[in-house]
Amino acid sequence: SGGQIWGQFDSPPVGDAWLTSTWLPGEFIVEDRIIPISVDAPLGVYDLIIGLYDPSDLTRVLITVAEQTQLLDELILTQVEVLEK
Protein backbone atom coordinates (compact mmCIF):
# COMPACT_ATOMS: atom_id res chain seq x y z
CA SER A 1 0.00 0.00 0.00
CA GLY A 2 1.07 3.58 -0.44
CA GLY A 3 3.30 2.74 -3.40
CA GLN A 4 5.93 0.97 -1.28
CA ILE A 5 8.14 -1.30 -3.41
CA TRP A 6 9.08 -4.48 -1.55
CA GLY A 7 10.83 -6.26 -4.40
CA GLN A 8 12.24 -5.24 -7.75
CA PHE A 9 14.26 -6.62 -10.64
CA ASP A 10 15.43 -4.51 -13.59
CA SER A 11 16.96 -6.07 -16.67
CA PRO A 12 16.53 -6.11 -20.44
CA PRO A 13 14.35 -8.97 -21.71
CA VAL A 14 16.15 -12.31 -21.79
CA GLY A 15 19.36 -10.58 -20.64
CA ASP A 16 19.88 -8.46 -23.79
CA ALA A 17 19.12 -11.44 -26.06
CA TRP A 18 15.64 -10.27 -27.08
CA LEU A 19 15.43 -6.49 -26.88
CA THR A 20 12.00 -4.90 -27.24
CA SER A 21 13.13 -3.11 -30.41
CA THR A 22 13.19 -6.53 -32.11
CA TRP A 23 9.71 -7.63 -30.99
CA LEU A 24 7.02 -8.18 -33.59
CA PRO A 25 3.34 -7.28 -33.05
CA GLY A 26 1.56 -10.15 -31.31
CA GLU A 27 4.80 -11.93 -30.45
CA PHE A 28 5.07 -13.56 -27.02
CA ILE A 29 8.32 -13.45 -25.08
CA VAL A 30 8.54 -15.86 -22.15
CA GLU A 31 11.17 -15.53 -19.45
CA ASP A 32 11.39 -16.84 -15.91
CA ARG A 33 12.38 -14.18 -13.39
CA ILE A 34 13.23 -14.41 -9.71
CA ILE A 35 12.33 -11.17 -7.97
CA PRO A 36 14.11 -10.66 -4.66
CA ILE A 37 11.74 -9.55 -1.89
CA SER A 38 12.96 -7.33 0.95
CA VAL A 39 13.35 -9.15 4.27
CA ASP A 40 11.33 -6.26 5.75
CA ALA A 41 8.30 -6.99 3.53
CA PRO A 42 5.22 -7.80 5.59
CA LEU A 43 3.46 -11.07 4.79
CA GLY A 44 0.48 -10.54 2.52
CA VAL A 45 -0.80 -10.08 -1.02
CA TYR A 46 0.97 -7.75 -3.44
CA ASP A 47 0.44 -6.54 -7.01
CA LEU A 48 3.03 -7.78 -9.51
CA ILE A 49 3.68 -4.77 -11.75
CA ILE A 50 5.81 -4.28 -14.85
CA GLY A 51 7.10 -1.12 -16.47
CA LEU A 52 9.26 -0.51 -19.51
CA TYR A 53 12.05 2.05 -19.84
CA ASP A 54 13.67 3.84 -22.77
CA PRO A 55 17.33 2.75 -22.51
CA SER A 56 18.60 6.07 -23.88
CA ASP A 57 17.33 8.18 -20.97
CA LEU A 58 15.64 5.69 -18.57
CA THR A 59 12.24 7.39 -18.86
CA ARG A 60 9.16 5.20 -18.60
CA VAL A 61 7.52 4.08 -21.84
CA LEU A 62 3.77 4.60 -22.08
CA ILE A 63 1.77 1.40 -21.65
CA THR A 64 -1.57 1.30 -23.44
CA VAL A 65 -4.21 -1.42 -23.04
CA ALA A 66 -7.39 -1.33 -25.12
CA GLU A 67 -6.50 2.23 -26.21
CA GLN A 68 -6.24 3.42 -22.59
CA THR A 69 -2.93 4.66 -21.21
CA GLN A 70 -2.17 2.93 -17.93
CA LEU A 71 -1.73 4.91 -14.74
CA LEU A 72 1.93 5.61 -13.87
CA ASP A 73 3.03 3.89 -17.11
CA GLU A 74 2.88 0.49 -15.46
CA LEU A 75 0.82 -2.66 -15.88
CA ILE A 76 -0.46 -4.86 -13.06
CA LEU A 77 0.05 -8.46 -14.21
CA THR A 78 -1.36 -10.37 -11.27
CA GLN A 79 -1.18 -10.59 -7.51
CA VAL A 80 1.32 -12.64 -5.53
CA GLU A 81 1.25 -13.67 -1.90
CA VAL A 82 4.26 -13.55 0.43
CA LEU A 83 3.66 -16.41 2.85
CA GLU A 84 6.94 -16.63 4.73
CA LYS A 85 10.34 -15.03 5.03
Side-chain angles (χ1 to χ4, degrees), residues 22-57:
T22 67
W23 292 2
L24 300 173
E27 183 174 19
F28 286 85
I29 308 300
V30 178
E31 178 179 13
D32 292 328
R33 295 271 176 129
I34 296 174
I35 302 170
I37 305 296
S38 171
V39 295
D40 299 333
L43 302 181
V45 177
Y46 295 89
D47 290 331
L48 179 61
I49 299 170
I50 64 166
L52 300 173
Y53 298 86
D54 181 329
S56 66
D57 60 9

PDB file of all heavy atoms in Angstrom, residues 22-57:
ATOM      1  N   THR A  22      13.259  -5.445 -31.138  1.00  0.00           N
ATOM      2  CA  THR A  22      13.187  -6.534 -32.111  1.00  0.00           C
ATOM      3  C   THR A  22      11.856  -7.274 -32.067  1.00  0.00           C
ATOM      4  O   THR A  22      11.630  -8.168 -32.879  1.00  0.00           O
ATOM      5  CB  THR A  22      14.322  -7.553 -31.892  1.00  0.00           C
ATOM      6  OG1 THR A  22      14.123  -8.217 -30.634  1.00  0.00           O
ATOM      7  CG2 THR A  22      15.684  -6.876 -31.905  1.00  0.00           C
ATOM      8  N   TRP A  23      10.984  -6.926 -31.121  1.00  0.00           N
ATOM      9  CA  TRP A  23       9.710  -7.630 -30.985  1.00  0.00           C
ATOM     10  C   TRP A  23       8.803  -7.346 -32.173  1.00  0.00           C
ATOM     11  O   TRP A  23       8.787  -6.236 -32.723  1.00  0.00           O
ATOM     12  CB  TRP A  23       8.996  -7.215 -29.718  1.00  0.00           C
ATOM     13  CG  TRP A  23       9.663  -7.641 -28.453  1.00  0.00           C
ATOM     14  CD1 TRP A  23      10.845  -8.314 -28.323  1.00  0.00           C
ATOM     15  CD2 TRP A  23       9.198  -7.407 -27.135  1.00  0.00           C
ATOM     16  NE1 TRP A  23      11.140  -8.506 -27.002  1.00  0.00           N
ATOM     17  CE2 TRP A  23      10.142  -7.955 -26.244  1.00  0.00           C
ATOM     18  CE3 TRP A  23       8.076  -6.780 -26.613  1.00  0.00           C
ATOM     19  CZ2 TRP A  23       9.977  -7.908 -24.874  1.00  0.00           C
ATOM     20  CZ3 TRP A  23       7.927  -6.741 -25.241  1.00  0.00           C
ATOM     21  CH2 TRP A  23       8.867  -7.301 -24.377  1.00  0.00           C
ATOM     22  N   LEU A  24       8.009  -8.326 -32.537  1.00  0.00           N
ATOM     23  CA  LEU A  24       7.019  -8.182 -33.590  1.00  0.00           C
ATOM     24  C   LEU A  24       5.628  -8.078 -32.962  1.00  0.00           C
ATOM     25  O   LEU A  24       5.393  -8.642 -31.882  1.00  0.00           O
ATOM     26  CB  LEU A  24       7.076  -9.387 -34.529  1.00  0.00           C
ATOM     27  CG  LEU A  24       8.416  -9.615 -35.229  1.00  0.00           C
ATOM     28  CD1 LEU A  24       8.401 -10.933 -35.992  1.00  0.00           C
ATOM     29  CD2 LEU A  24       8.742  -8.455 -36.147  1.00  0.00           C
ATOM     30  N   PRO A  25       4.703  -7.371 -33.605  1.00  0.00           N
ATOM     31  CA  PRO A  25       3.340  -7.278 -33.053  1.00  0.00           C
ATOM     32  C   PRO A  25       2.749  -8.677 -32.831  1.00  0.00           C
ATOM     33  O   PRO A  25       2.856  -9.553 -33.693  1.00  0.00           O
ATOM     34  CB  PRO A  25       2.566  -6.527 -34.148  1.00  0.00           C
ATOM     35  CG  PRO A  25       3.610  -5.746 -34.882  1.00  0.00           C
ATOM     36  CD  PRO A  25       4.846  -6.612 -34.850  1.00  0.00           C
ATOM     37  N   GLY A  26       2.181  -8.880 -31.651  1.00  0.00           N
ATOM     38  CA  GLY A  26       1.556 -10.150 -31.310  1.00  0.00           C
ATOM     39  C   GLY A  26       2.518 -11.230 -30.855  1.00  0.00           C
ATOM     40  O   GLY A  26       2.099 -12.323 -30.487  1.00  0.00           O
ATOM     41  N   GLU A  27       3.803 -10.946 -30.862  1.00  0.00           N
ATOM     42  CA  GLU A  27       4.798 -11.928 -30.446  1.00  0.00           C
ATOM     43  C   GLU A  27       4.795 -12.080 -28.929  1.00  0.00           C
ATOM     44  O   GLU A  27       4.647 -11.101 -28.198  1.00  0.00           O
ATOM     45  CB  GLU A  27       6.181 -11.474 -30.918  1.00  0.00           C
ATOM     46  CG  GLU A  27       7.284 -12.448 -30.615  1.00  0.00           C
ATOM     47  CD  GLU A  27       8.613 -12.026 -31.233  1.00  0.00           C
ATOM     48  OE1 GLU A  27       8.774 -10.842 -31.585  1.00  0.00           O
ATOM     49  OE2 GLU A  27       9.488 -12.883 -31.350  1.00  0.00           O
ATOM     50  N   PHE A  28       4.977 -13.299 -28.453  1.00  0.00           N
ATOM     51  CA  PHE A  28       5.066 -13.565 -27.025  1.00  0.00           C
ATOM     52  C   PHE A  28       6.513 -13.849 -26.662  1.00  0.00           C
ATOM     53  O   PHE A  28       7.185 -14.633 -27.324  1.00  0.00           O
ATOM     54  CB  PHE A  28       4.217 -14.786 -26.628  1.00  0.00           C
ATOM     55  CG  PHE A  28       2.752 -14.519 -26.629  1.00  0.00           C
ATOM     56  CD1 PHE A  28       2.015 -14.625 -27.796  1.00  0.00           C
ATOM     57  CD2 PHE A  28       2.117 -14.144 -25.459  1.00  0.00           C
ATOM     58  CE1 PHE A  28       0.655 -14.372 -27.797  1.00  0.00           C
ATOM     59  CE2 PHE A  28       0.758 -13.891 -25.454  1.00  0.00           C
ATOM     60  CZ  PHE A  28       0.026 -14.000 -26.625  1.00  0.00           C
ATOM     61  N   ILE A  29       6.984 -13.207 -25.610  1.00  0.00           N
ATOM     62  CA  ILE A  29       8.321 -13.451 -25.076  1.00  0.00           C
ATOM     63  C   ILE A  29       8.133 -14.029 -23.680  1.00  0.00           C
ATOM     64  O   ILE A  29       7.479 -13.416 -22.840  1.00  0.00           O
ATOM     65  CB  ILE A  29       9.149 -12.147 -24.997  1.00  0.00           C
ATOM     66  CG1 ILE A  29       9.152 -11.402 -26.327  1.00  0.00           C
ATOM     67  CG2 ILE A  29      10.555 -12.433 -24.493  1.00  0.00           C
ATOM     68  CD1 ILE A  29       9.725 -12.156 -27.482  1.00  0.00           C
ATOM     69  N   VAL A  30       8.689 -15.191 -23.438  1.00  0.00           N
ATOM     70  CA  VAL A  30       8.544 -15.858 -22.147  1.00  0.00           C
ATOM     71  C   VAL A  30       9.907 -15.905 -21.474  1.00  0.00           C
ATOM     72  O   VAL A  30      10.905 -16.278 -22.092  1.00  0.00           O
ATOM     73  CB  VAL A  30       7.987 -17.293 -22.330  1.00  0.00           C
ATOM     74  CG1 VAL A  30       7.889 -17.998 -20.990  1.00  0.00           C
ATOM     75  CG2 VAL A  30       6.636 -17.258 -23.026  1.00  0.00           C
ATOM     76  N   GLU A  31       9.924 -15.499 -20.219  1.00  0.00           N
ATOM     77  CA  GLU A  31      11.170 -15.531 -19.453  1.00  0.00           C
ATOM     78  C   GLU A  31      10.840 -15.733 -17.985  1.00  0.00           C
ATOM     79  O   GLU A  31       9.961 -15.066 -17.441  1.00  0.00           O
ATOM     80  CB  GLU A  31      11.930 -14.219 -19.638  1.00  0.00           C
ATOM     81  CG  GLU A  31      13.196 -14.174 -18.839  1.00  0.00           C
ATOM     82  CD  GLU A  31      13.971 -12.876 -19.026  1.00  0.00           C
ATOM     83  OE1 GLU A  31      13.429 -11.907 -19.575  1.00  0.00           O
ATOM     84  OE2 GLU A  31      15.126 -12.844 -18.584  1.00  0.00           O
ATOM     85  N   ASP A  32      11.535 -16.654 -17.353  1.00  0.00           N
ATOM     86  CA  ASP A  32      11.393 -16.839 -15.912  1.00  0.00           C
ATOM     87  C   ASP A  32      12.235 -15.792 -15.207  1.00  0.00           C
ATOM     88  O   ASP A  32      13.374 -15.525 -15.605  1.00  0.00           O
ATOM     89  CB  ASP A  32      11.873 -18.233 -15.485  1.00  0.00           C
ATOM     90  CG  ASP A  32      10.964 -19.333 -15.994  1.00  0.00           C
ATOM     91  OD1 ASP A  32       9.753 -19.085 -16.121  1.00  0.00           O
ATOM     92  OD2 ASP A  32      11.470 -20.431 -16.275  1.00  0.00           O
ATOM     93  N   ARG A  33      11.669 -15.193 -14.180  1.00  0.00           N
ATOM     94  CA  ARG A  33      12.380 -14.183 -13.385  1.00  0.00           C
ATOM     95  C   ARG A  33      12.229 -14.523 -11.908  1.00  0.00           C
ATOM     96  O   ARG A  33      11.154 -14.916 -11.459  1.00  0.00           O
ATOM     97  CB  ARG A  33      11.790 -12.793 -13.604  1.00  0.00           C
ATOM     98  CG  ARG A  33      11.947 -12.242 -14.999  1.00  0.00           C
ATOM     99  CD  ARG A  33      13.258 -11.497 -15.103  1.00  0.00           C
ATOM    100  NE  ARG A  33      13.510 -11.028 -16.447  1.00  0.00           N
ATOM    101  CZ  ARG A  33      13.830  -9.794 -16.747  1.00  0.00           C
ATOM    102  NH1 ARG A  33      13.898  -8.884 -15.808  1.00  0.00           N
ATOM    103  NH2 ARG A  33      14.100  -9.459 -17.978  1.00  0.00           N
ATOM    104  N   ILE A  34      13.281 -14.333 -11.171  1.00  0.00           N
ATOM    105  CA  ILE A  34      13.226 -14.413  -9.713  1.00  0.00           C
ATOM    106  C   ILE A  34      13.350 -12.986  -9.212  1.00  0.00           C
ATOM    107  O   ILE A  34      14.323 -12.293  -9.512  1.00  0.00           O
ATOM    108  CB  ILE A  34      14.346 -15.297  -9.146  1.00  0.00           C
ATOM    109  CG1 ILE A  34      14.158 -16.738  -9.624  1.00  0.00           C
ATOM    110  CG2 ILE A  34      14.378 -15.204  -7.623  1.00  0.00           C
ATOM    111  CD1 ILE A  34      15.289 -17.665  -9.246  1.00  0.00           C
ATOM    112  N   ILE A  35      12.348 -12.541  -8.476  1.00  0.00           N
ATOM    113  CA  ILE A  35      12.325 -11.172  -7.973  1.00  0.00           C
ATOM    114  C   ILE A  35      12.635 -11.210  -6.483  1.00  0.00           C
ATOM    115  O   ILE A  35      11.860 -11.766  -5.698  1.00  0.00           O
ATOM    116  CB  ILE A  35      10.954 -10.513  -8.225  1.00  0.00           C
ATOM    117  CG1 ILE A  35      10.658 -10.531  -9.733  1.00  0.00           C
ATOM    118  CG2 ILE A  35      10.933  -9.099  -7.669  1.00  0.00           C
ATOM    119  CD1 ILE A  35       9.259 -10.134 -10.082  1.00  0.00           C
ATOM    120  N   PRO A  36      13.777 -10.661  -6.088  1.00  0.00           N
ATOM    121  CA  PRO A  36      14.106 -10.663  -4.660  1.00  0.00           C
ATOM    122  C   PRO A  36      13.135  -9.774  -3.882  1.00  0.00           C
ATOM    123  O   PRO A  36      12.812  -8.672  -4.319  1.00  0.00           O
ATOM    124  CB  PRO A  36      15.534 -10.109  -4.609  1.00  0.00           C
ATOM    125  CG  PRO A  36      15.730  -9.399  -5.906  1.00  0.00           C
ATOM    126  CD  PRO A  36      14.789  -9.995  -6.897  1.00  0.00           C
ATOM    127  N   ILE A  37      12.665 -10.277  -2.767  1.00  0.00           N
ATOM    128  CA  ILE A  37      11.737  -9.553  -1.894  1.00  0.00           C
ATOM    129  C   ILE A  37      12.503  -9.111  -0.648  1.00  0.00           C
ATOM    130  O   ILE A  37      13.252  -9.890  -0.062  1.00  0.00           O
ATOM    131  CB  ILE A  37      10.545 -10.452  -1.477  1.00  0.00           C
ATOM    132  CG1 ILE A  37       9.843 -11.028  -2.710  1.00  0.00           C
ATOM    133  CG2 ILE A  37       9.579  -9.705  -0.576  1.00  0.00           C
ATOM    134  CD1 ILE A  37       9.191 -10.018  -3.602  1.00  0.00           C
ATOM    135  N   SER A  38      12.301  -7.865  -0.238  1.00  0.00           N
ATOM    136  CA  SER A  38      12.960  -7.334   0.950  1.00  0.00           C
ATOM    137  C   SER A  38      12.614  -8.176   2.181  1.00  0.00           C
ATOM    138  O   SER A  38      11.470  -8.599   2.346  1.00  0.00           O
ATOM    139  CB  SER A  38      12.519  -5.888   1.177  1.00  0.00           C
ATOM    140  OG  SER A  38      12.974  -5.426   2.429  1.00  0.00           O
ATOM    141  N   VAL A  39      13.603  -8.397   3.033  1.00  0.00           N
ATOM    142  CA  VAL A  39      13.350  -9.145   4.270  1.00  0.00           C
ATOM    143  C   VAL A  39      12.402  -8.380   5.189  1.00  0.00           C
ATOM    144  O   VAL A  39      11.814  -8.961   6.098  1.00  0.00           O
ATOM    145  CB  VAL A  39      14.662  -9.477   5.013  1.00  0.00           C
ATOM    146  CG1 VAL A  39      15.516 -10.424   4.179  1.00  0.00           C
ATOM    147  CG2 VAL A  39      15.428  -8.229   5.375  1.00  0.00           C
ATOM    148  N   ASP A  40      12.236  -7.076   4.954  1.00  0.00           N
ATOM    149  CA  ASP A  40      11.326  -6.259   5.752  1.00  0.00           C
ATOM    150  C   ASP A  40       9.884  -6.294   5.247  1.00  0.00           C
ATOM    151  O   ASP A  40       8.998  -5.703   5.872  1.00  0.00           O
ATOM    152  CB  ASP A  40      11.791  -4.795   5.755  1.00  0.00           C
ATOM    153  CG  ASP A  40      13.167  -4.633   6.366  1.00  0.00           C
ATOM    154  OD1 ASP A  40      13.548  -5.467   7.207  1.00  0.00           O
ATOM    155  OD2 ASP A  40      13.862  -3.673   5.999  1.00  0.00           O
ATOM    156  N   ALA A  41       9.649  -6.970   4.116  1.00  0.00           N
ATOM    157  CA  ALA A  41       8.305  -6.992   3.531  1.00  0.00           C
ATOM    158  C   ALA A  41       7.341  -7.735   4.445  1.00  0.00           C
ATOM    159  O   ALA A  41       7.609  -8.869   4.839  1.00  0.00           O
ATOM    160  CB  ALA A  41       8.333  -7.667   2.165  1.00  0.00           C
ATOM    161  N   PRO A  42       6.226  -7.100   4.790  1.00  0.00           N
ATOM    162  CA  PRO A  42       5.220  -7.804   5.587  1.00  0.00           C
ATOM    163  C   PRO A  42       4.602  -8.944   4.779  1.00  0.00           C
ATOM    164  O   PRO A  42       4.526  -8.874   3.555  1.00  0.00           O
ATOM    165  CB  PRO A  42       4.164  -6.730   5.865  1.00  0.00           C
ATOM    166  CG  PRO A  42       4.786  -5.422   5.511  1.00  0.00           C
ATOM    167  CD  PRO A  42       5.861  -5.719   4.520  1.00  0.00           C
ATOM    168  N   LEU A  43       4.175  -9.992   5.463  1.00  0.00           N
ATOM    169  CA  LEU A  43       3.460 -11.068   4.790  1.00  0.00           C
ATOM    170  C   LEU A  43       2.164 -10.493   4.232  1.00  0.00           C
ATOM    171  O   LEU A  43       1.576  -9.585   4.808  1.00  0.00           O
ATOM    172  CB  LEU A  43       3.172 -12.204   5.766  1.00  0.00           C
ATOM    173  CG  LEU A  43       4.386 -12.831   6.461  1.00  0.00           C
ATOM    174  CD1 LEU A  43       3.939 -13.950   7.385  1.00  0.00           C
ATOM    175  CD2 LEU A  43       5.411 -13.306   5.468  1.00  0.00           C
ATOM    176  N   GLY A  44       1.731 -11.015   3.096  1.00  0.00           N
ATOM    177  CA  GLY A  44       0.484 -10.536   2.523  1.00  0.00           C
ATOM    178  C   GLY A  44       0.453 -10.644   1.017  1.00  0.00           C
ATOM    179  O   GLY A  44       1.321 -11.248   0.394  1.00  0.00           O
ATOM    180  N   VAL A  45      -0.564 -10.033   0.425  1.00  0.00           N
ATOM    181  CA  VAL A  45      -0.797 -10.078  -1.018  1.00  0.00           C
ATOM    182  C   VAL A  45      -0.322  -8.775  -1.645  1.00  0.00           C
ATOM    183  O   VAL A  45      -0.604  -7.690  -1.126  1.00  0.00           O
ATOM    184  CB  VAL A  45      -2.298 -10.304  -1.314  1.00  0.00           C
ATOM    185  CG1 VAL A  45      -2.566 -10.290  -2.806  1.00  0.00           C
ATOM    186  CG2 VAL A  45      -2.764 -11.625  -0.698  1.00  0.00           C
ATOM    187  N   TYR A  46       0.390  -8.899  -2.763  1.00  0.00           N
ATOM    188  CA  TYR A  46       0.969  -7.745  -3.444  1.00  0.00           C
ATOM    189  C   TYR A  46       0.653  -7.794  -4.931  1.00  0.00           C
ATOM    190  O   TYR A  46       0.530  -8.875  -5.513  1.00  0.00           O
ATOM    191  CB  TYR A  46       2.497  -7.731  -3.272  1.00  0.00           C
ATOM    192  CG  TYR A  46       2.923  -7.547  -1.849  1.00  0.00           C
ATOM    193  CD1 TYR A  46       3.104  -8.645  -1.009  1.00  0.00           C
ATOM    194  CD2 TYR A  46       3.135  -6.279  -1.341  1.00  0.00           C
ATOM    195  CE1 TYR A  46       3.492  -8.467   0.309  1.00  0.00           C
ATOM    196  CE2 TYR A  46       3.524  -6.097  -0.030  1.00  0.00           C
ATOM    197  CZ  TYR A  46       3.694  -7.192   0.791  1.00  0.00           C
ATOM    198  OH  TYR A  46       4.066  -7.018   2.088  1.00  0.00           O
ATOM    199  N   ASP A  47       0.568  -6.621  -5.559  1.00  0.00           N
ATOM    200  CA  ASP A  47       0.437  -6.544  -7.006  1.00  0.00           C
ATOM    201  C   ASP A  47       1.797  -6.792  -7.636  1.00  0.00           C
ATOM    202  O   ASP A  47       2.814  -6.277  -7.169  1.00  0.00           O
ATOM    203  CB  ASP A  47      -0.050  -5.155  -7.450  1.00  0.00           C
ATOM    204  CG  ASP A  47      -1.494  -4.895  -7.072  1.00  0.00           C
ATOM    205  OD1 ASP A  47      -2.288  -5.861  -6.985  1.00  0.00           O
ATOM    206  OD2 ASP A  47      -1.846  -3.711  -6.875  1.00  0.00           O
ATOM    207  N   LEU A  48       1.826  -7.585  -8.710  1.00  0.00           N
ATOM    208  CA  LEU A  48       3.028  -7.780  -9.509  1.00  0.00           C
ATOM    209  C   LEU A  48       2.898  -6.851 -10.707  1.00  0.00           C
ATOM    210  O   LEU A  48       1.993  -6.998 -11.526  1.00  0.00           O
ATOM    211  CB  LEU A  48       3.159  -9.228  -9.964  1.00  0.00           C
ATOM    212  CG  LEU A  48       4.363  -9.554 -10.840  1.00  0.00           C
ATOM    213  CD1 LEU A  48       5.666  -9.259 -10.097  1.00  0.00           C
ATOM    214  CD2 LEU A  48       4.318 -10.990 -11.290  1.00  0.00           C
ATOM    215  N   ILE A  49       3.783  -5.866 -10.781  1.00  0.00           N
ATOM    216  CA  ILE A  49       3.675  -4.772 -11.751  1.00  0.00           C
ATOM    217  C   ILE A  49       4.902  -4.756 -12.650  1.00  0.00           C
ATOM    218  O   ILE A  49       6.020  -4.980 -12.190  1.00  0.00           O
ATOM    219  CB  ILE A  49       3.573  -3.423 -11.011  1.00  0.00           C
ATOM    220  CG1 ILE A  49       2.321  -3.397 -10.134  1.00  0.00           C
ATOM    221  CG2 ILE A  49       3.578  -2.260 -11.982  1.00  0.00           C
ATOM    222  CD1 ILE A  49       2.266  -2.210  -9.194  1.00  0.00           C
ATOM    223  N   ILE A  50       4.679  -4.468 -13.941  1.00  0.00           N
ATOM    224  CA  ILE A  50       5.806  -4.276 -14.854  1.00  0.00           C
ATOM    225  C   ILE A  50       5.788  -2.861 -15.399  1.00  0.00           C
ATOM    226  O   ILE A  50       4.743  -2.211 -15.452  1.00  0.00           O
ATOM    227  CB  ILE A  50       5.822  -5.274 -16.027  1.00  0.00           C
ATOM    228  CG1 ILE A  50       4.596  -5.088 -16.920  1.00  0.00           C
ATOM    229  CG2 ILE A  50       5.949  -6.697 -15.526  1.00  0.00           C
ATOM    230  CD1 ILE A  50       4.703  -5.789 -18.250  1.00  0.00           C
ATOM    231  N   GLY A  51       6.946  -2.396 -15.785  1.00  0.00           N
ATOM    232  CA  GLY A  51       7.102  -1.121 -16.469  1.00  0.00           C
ATOM    233  C   GLY A  51       8.246  -1.262 -17.451  1.00  0.00           C
ATOM    234  O   GLY A  51       9.136  -2.084 -17.272  1.00  0.00           O
ATOM    235  N   LEU A  52       8.208  -0.485 -18.500  1.00  0.00           N
ATOM    236  CA  LEU A  52       9.263  -0.506 -19.512  1.00  0.00           C
ATOM    237  C   LEU A  52       9.955   0.846 -19.540  1.00  0.00           C
ATOM    238  O   LEU A  52       9.324   1.872 -19.307  1.00  0.00           O
ATOM    239  CB  LEU A  52       8.678  -0.819 -20.894  1.00  0.00           C
ATOM    240  CG  LEU A  52       7.960  -2.161 -21.029  1.00  0.00           C
ATOM    241  CD1 LEU A  52       7.282  -2.252 -22.390  1.00  0.00           C
ATOM    242  CD2 LEU A  52       8.930  -3.307 -20.836  1.00  0.00           C
ATOM    243  N   TYR A  53      11.251   0.836 -19.834  1.00  0.00           N
ATOM    244  CA  TYR A  53      12.054   2.055 -19.842  1.00  0.00           C
ATOM    245  C   TYR A  53      12.710   2.249 -21.200  1.00  0.00           C
ATOM    246  O   TYR A  53      13.110   1.288 -21.852  1.00  0.00           O
ATOM    247  CB  TYR A  53      13.164   1.975 -18.786  1.00  0.00           C
ATOM    248  CG  TYR A  53      12.663   1.858 -17.387  1.00  0.00           C
ATOM    249  CD1 TYR A  53      12.352   0.630 -16.837  1.00  0.00           C
ATOM    250  CD2 TYR A  53      12.490   2.989 -16.607  1.00  0.00           C
ATOM    251  CE1 TYR A  53      11.883   0.521 -15.541  1.00  0.00           C
ATOM    252  CE2 TYR A  53      12.029   2.895 -15.311  1.00  0.00           C
ATOM    253  CZ  TYR A  53      11.730   1.655 -14.786  1.00  0.00           C
ATOM    254  OH  TYR A  53      11.267   1.552 -13.509  1.00  0.00           O
ATOM    255  N   ASP A  54      12.888   3.500 -21.592  1.00  0.00           N
ATOM    256  CA  ASP A  54      13.670   3.845 -22.769  1.00  0.00           C
ATOM    257  C   ASP A  54      15.135   3.780 -22.351  1.00  0.00           C
ATOM    258  O   ASP A  54      15.550   4.509 -21.443  1.00  0.00           O
ATOM    259  CB  ASP A  54      13.306   5.254 -23.241  1.00  0.00           C
ATOM    260  CG  ASP A  54      14.052   5.679 -24.486  1.00  0.00           C
ATOM    261  OD1 ASP A  54      15.209   5.244 -24.681  1.00  0.00           O
ATOM    262  OD2 ASP A  54      13.482   6.463 -25.259  1.00  0.00           O
ATOM    263  N   PRO A  55      15.943   2.909 -22.963  1.00  0.00           N
ATOM    264  CA  PRO A  55      17.327   2.754 -22.512  1.00  0.00           C
ATOM    265  C   PRO A  55      18.194   3.995 -22.728  1.00  0.00           C
ATOM    266  O   PRO A  55      19.211   4.152 -22.064  1.00  0.00           O
ATOM    267  CB  PRO A  55      17.849   1.575 -23.341  1.00  0.00           C
ATOM    268  CG  PRO A  55      16.961   1.525 -24.538  1.00  0.00           C
ATOM    269  CD  PRO A  55      15.623   2.041 -24.092  1.00  0.00           C
ATOM    270  N   SER A  56      17.763   4.893 -23.611  1.00  0.00           N
ATOM    271  CA  SER A  56      18.599   6.066 -23.879  1.00  0.00           C
ATOM    272  C   SER A  56      18.560   7.088 -22.752  1.00  0.00           C
ATOM    273  O   SER A  56      19.529   7.790 -22.515  1.00  0.00           O
ATOM    274  CB  SER A  56      18.193   6.732 -25.197  1.00  0.00           C
ATOM    275  OG  SER A  56      16.888   7.278 -25.095  1.00  0.00           O
ATOM    276  N   ASP A  57      17.422   7.177 -22.048  1.00  0.00           N
ATOM    277  CA  ASP A  57      17.334   8.175 -20.972  1.00  0.00           C
ATOM    278  C   ASP A  57      16.629   7.658 -19.712  1.00  0.00           C
ATOM    279  O   ASP A  57      16.408   8.397 -18.769  1.00  0.00           O
ATOM    280  CB  ASP A  57      16.638   9.442 -21.473  1.00  0.00           C
ATOM    281  CG  ASP A  57      15.225   9.198 -21.958  1.00  0.00           C
ATOM    282  OD1 ASP A  57      14.678   8.080 -21.761  1.00  0.00           O
ATOM    283  OD2 ASP A  57      14.643  10.128 -22.542  1.00  0.00           O
TER     284      ASP A  57
END
